[in-house]
Amino acid sequence: FKAYQKEDIITQYVTIKHHENKSIKIENIASGYLNLHADHYYLSHFAGAWANEMLLEEELLTHGIKSIESTKGVRTAQTENSSFLISIDKKADEYSGEVYAGALAWSGNYKLSFQVSETGNLDIVVGMNPFASSFILEPGEEIKTPEIIWSYSAIGKNRISQNFHNWSRRYALAHGNDLRPIVLNSWEGVYMNFDEKDILSLIDDAANFGVELFVLDDGWFGDKYPRDKADSGLGDWVVNKKKLPHGIGYLADYAVNKGVRFGIWIEPEMVNPRSVLAEKYPEWIVKTDKYTPYVERNQWLLDLSNPDVQHFVEETFDKVVSMSPNISYIKWDANRHVDNFGSEYLSKENQTHFWIDYTKGLYSVYERIRAKHPDVLIQLCSSGGGRLDFGALKYHDEFWASDNTNSLDRIFIQYSTNLFFPAKATAAHVSTTPNHQTGMMAPLKFRFDVAMTGRLGMELQPKDLTGDELPFAEQAIKNYKRIRPIVQLGDLYRLKSPYDGTGWASHMYISKDKKESVFFAYSLKYHGRTTFFETRLKGLDPAKMYKITELNKAGNSTFYGDGQVFPGDYLMKAGISLTIGNTYESTVLLITEQ
């Protein structure tokens, strides 16, 4: 056990050290166990799919075993997540009641088991999934399980979130105390259909718009098999000179000279069948015996249990970063899971080592990369939120919660995600309308107001803005820079959940010294003319006086007290009301001590 007293976090893991004369076989080994006794237990967990990740579900546990598990090998958090809450005797409340929480720091297969026994006890067992994972331990060897991170609150689940956020910023997030830059990503603007002129134009737009970092997404590489579509070139990390005749270094230097940092996309664990890499190293492909490996998303998976593949992935990162000293950000993606598993590197007797060795091989690569490139920002992306866990996050600066950038869906996804994972690491982008994933349309203000609750970024291209949208967006970016320290380093207080069925959502962030706060509220449906949004604020100093200023206004103020000063005690006991009754109406308030 490790205790982090300041953050109210305890981590638990198991190590087996083998000092006998013969090998032993480990069939099942868990990271942690917790036994509770109460009248009722409510489990909050997460489910979903691509573009719909991390959706909150809560249920009363009854007798028997409730099991949540993944056997995908990669993208193991795509449809479930290895974090959970247990609320005692009632459904989880934000600010009252006993709540236990756990999150497994592991990016491979996992299994969470919850058993209400005949005695009324709840037994919780958490760890790596034993599915096809018998592990032979030779004399002198040892095996260590991933950590399970535990926390407890006697005052509701909001304190659980604050505990995990504070702990993560310090222990499970790269550069946890640094502010994250505002990003413009090329993906939804040009996809793979671009040339050098297009990218230079996007960099110009980013610089003129106040964006701080430009990211060149997929499609920049491939020689014999150019990466013009998703079915070719993956694995061949050489610049496509037809698209980018002057290379990546030219683009990176151009961006930095414009005052914009430069980043680039990679997916080094995967390979297209149509690639030089697949032709040269067929033994590196994950597959069962001599059977043709299954193609998913036009690609195969490289075998990271193999040290040669680990070296290749590490070398790929080094090679890409070395294309320019001005590359300061890497978007690391992983877009498929494991099918028909098998390894030509592992012996016949040790094929079941694959599931554990793949993830440990990945972590080994991460560790070596971080040792050599400590200052590079790295985004954790896996077809959206497919690798969202504290095992991988500690090597990264942020994560991509979902490929779904639709603002309405993101309210639900980000609410659940931020139950455990900090807002500063949650990449939240403003995209165009109609949204490319859902076809839904929303006002620009609403899209910005949602994205500003995490690490603000843009898929929307500035050239697509017209009329009053351009000055609004420019001002919204300035406003985010003003509130960024509060959002990224402050404490989260949830006020209204989008899951409670009222059609409202609201939360706020408060600086550690309680001198500043920023408040967000959203109307998710039409509420009628006579219904108003009302809520009491949380976490302020009752003895302080606070001025409230509405940000991102698109017309008249939605708060009657815009520009006025109120006692903290009044704001937390009497509360505030807003005129946001229509679908897609929203409010952002800056609250500052006077």
Side-chain angles (χ1 to χ4, degrees), residues 194-202 204 243-245 251:
F194 60 82
D195 59 21
E196 189 172 84
K197 182 180 178 182
D198 296 326
I199 301 305
L200 295 177
S201 177
L202 292 178
D204 288 338
K243 287 183 177 179
L244 306 173
L251 298 177

Side-chain angles (χ1 to χ4, degrees), residues 16 58 64 66 71 82 109 170 176 183-184 205 220 226 268 281 289 296 320 331 353 397 404 406 444 464 466 493 573:
I16 292 180
E58 187 172 18
K66 167 76 174 184
T71 56
S82 57
N109 294 344
R170 188 169 182 183
V183 170
L184 174 65
D205 289 341
W220 58 267
Y281 297 106
D289 297 326
E296 181 186 353
V320 171
K331 179 179 179 179
H353 287 206
D397 297 82
N404 186 350
N406 181 50
L444 184 63
D464 295 330
T466 59
Y493 289 85
K573 291 181 177 177

Side-chain angles (χ1 to χ4, degrees), residues 529-542:
R529 294 182 180 181
T530 58
T531 303
F532 297 90
F533 175 95
E534 294 182 327
T535 191
R536 296 172 183 175
L537 305 191
K538 294 284 187 180
L540 300 174
D541 187 331

